[in-house]
Amino acid sequence: MELRHLRYFLAVAEELNFTKAAEKLFISQPPLSRQIIELEEEIQVRLFIRNNKKVELTEAGKYFKEEVTALFQHLERITIKTQKIAQNVSGEFRIAYISSIYSAVISELIQHLKVQFPYVNFKLFEISTTKQIDALEQGKIDLGIIRSPIKSTRIKAQLWFQDGFSVVYNKRLIQINSEKEIPNLKEETFVFFNKNYAPHYHEVLLELCAFYGFAPKVVHESNNINSIVQLVKNGLGISIVPSNIAKNNQDPEIGFIELKKVNLMTDVSLITSKEDASEITKSAVAFLLNFKR
């Protein structure tokens, strides 16, 4: 069995059409069919059900597809790691972060790393927690900054800090003097993170409102914390945001009330691959863990 057999198999498994798969591979259909037959004969398993109307994977074929896909992803990670070793930590280093992390921290991190690794090209991506986990597992990023929880056996997570929550509102439109007045917000419209974009975070916000005795009227949604604060500033509603945002927002029109009565925190974690032992990753993590926020 050769790698080309597996590549050809994946192409057919993804397209479920020999003609389209052959076009994708830039070969003609007869050689592709022969390669698939050779693979089936070698492993002594029928992978496809073929007839004049359609091509389908057998149950064995579906399992084989999952495992071969994982195999190629692992091979890609090995290749990337090998290239990094050969480049002696030159090349590029990819950092992903969630929108609720103060951007000045990221800027100072890059400045710190540039001094130590002047030949590295740093790339930044603002990505949701779920997508960061997928990207790290596939070797597409090197360091992620997320809001927990995380469930992955291939990722190492280190707690960076714990964050509380604060109500954010427009001072010109709403008067809130203390946390005791939070239940009075039940008639206000809310701006929340999109449920599909950040499902765990969305559920936490609903829990917070329930603690204060009401269900929020969510009228507007966004996938970016800065957009949410801007919508609040523009008078389109109020919201609940991580307290870290409040500490770093100096806009005089925006007010924050920290929710101290409810014992609910969110963990902000640094995630890296368990296989990554590079000096640049160690330096980046150490800088963030020691950063004075």
Side-chain angles (χ1 to χ4, degrees):
M1 185 189 306
E2 299 179 14
L3 280 177
R4 59 185 168 84
H5 289 110
L6 301 180
R7 289 196 177 96
Y8 290 171
F9 163 75
L10 278 183
V12 178
E14 290 168 357
E15 298 294 338
L16 293 178
N17 184 296
F18 276 83
T19 301
K20 291 182 179 179
E23 291 174 355
K24 184 177 180 180
L25 295 166
F26 300 103
I27 61 174
S28 59
Q29 184 175 335
L32 174 59
S33 297
R34 286 197 298 271
Q35 296 291 334
I36 297 300
I37 292 172
E38 286 180 12
L39 176 61
E40 290 179 318
E41 289 177 348
E42 182 168 351
I43 65 175
Q44 299 181 354
V45 171
R46 189 180 183 189
L47 299 170
F48 295 99
I49 300 171
R50 311 169 180 81
N51 57 45
N52 293 331
K53 294 183 179 180
K54 61 182 179 179
V55 176
E56 291 181 293
L57 283 164
T58 63
E59 287 303 312
K62 292 176 183 177
Y63 170 77
F64 196 65
K65 179 187 177 184
E66 291 179 3
E67 293 299 318
V68 170
T69 299
L71 176 66
F72 275 106
Q73 289 176 346
H74 185 59
L75 182 60
E76 183 180 2
R77 289 196 299 272
I78 291 173
T79 301
I80 292 171
K81 185 173 181 180
T82 303
Q83 290 172 342
K84 285 189 173 183
I85 293 172
Q87 293 167 349
N88 193 24
V89 295
S90 62
E92 67 179 32
F93 189 80
R94 299 151 301 179
I95 302 171
Y97 59 97
I98 47 177
S99 63
S100 56
I101 295 303
Y102 189 37
S103 60
V105 176
I106 307 299
S107 177
E108 292 190 38
L109 170 63
I110 299 303
Q111 292 175 355
H112 168 77
L113 293 175
K114 264 297 183 184
V115 173
Q116 291 183 293
F117 308 95
Y119 301 108
V120 172
N121 178 26
F122 294 97
K123 292 188 176 182
L124 299 175
F125 306 92
E126 186 179 297
I127 312 176
S128 69
T129 289
T130 303
K131 290 184 177 180
Q132 281 193 51
I133 293 170
D134 291 340
L136 188 58
E137 288 182 333
Q138 296 170 23
K140 294 180 179 179
I141 63 171
D142 302 288
L143 170 66
I145 302 174
I146 66 166
R147 287 190 185 273
S148 299
I150 174 175
K151 296 178 181 179
S152 174
T153 57
R154 289 183 281 174
I155 290 177
K156 178 182 178 182
Q158 297 183 70
L159 178 64
W160 186 16
F161 64 91
Q162 287 191 310
D163 206 355
F165 294 92
S166 297
V167 169
V168 55
Y169 61 98
N170 186 311
K171 290 181 178 179
R172 293 183 291 103
L173 304 176
I174 298 175
Q175 297 296 322
I176 308 176
N177 298 313
S178 70
E179 189 177 0
K180 294 179 181 179
E181 300 177 29
I182 299 299
N184 299 336
L185 300 176
K186 61 183 179 181
E187 299 301 326
E188 299 291 338
T189 58
F190 278 77
V191 185
F192 270 14
F193 263 100
N194 180 275
K195 182 178 181 180
N196 295 327
Y197 181 82
H200 176 73
Y201 188 73
H202 186 89
E203 289 299 319
V204 169
L205 298 184
L206 294 180
E207 280 186 51
L208 286 166
C209 292
F211 176 84
Y212 288 94
F214 66 92
K217 297 179 181 179
V218 182
V219 177
H220 302 291
E221 293 184 341
S222 175
N223 294 345
N224 182 281
I225 196 73
N226 297 312
S227 298
I228 289 175
V229 174
Q230 187 62 45
L231 288 171
V232 171
K233 181 178 179 179
N234 292 343
L236 295 176
I238 61 178
S239 189
I240 300 174
V241 299
S243 296
N244 182 61
I245 297 296
K247 294 174 183 177
N248 297 298
N249 190 295
Q250 304 299 322
D251 194 318
E253 293 185 42
I254 300 296
F256 295 90
I257 297 291
E258 190 168 5
L259 305 179
K260 297 180 179 179
K261 289 184 179 180
V262 57
N263 185 26
L264 194 58
M265 306 290 286
T266 175
D267 291 344
V268 178
S269 298
L270 310 177
I271 57 173
T272 57
S273 170
K274 285 185 176 179
E275 300 174 355
D276 188 353
S278 69
E279 291 302 317
I280 189 168
T281 300
K282 291 178 182 178
S283 179
V285 170
F287 175 84
L288 291 173
L289 291 176
N290 292 322
F291 187 83
K292 302 297 183 183
R293 295 185 301 106

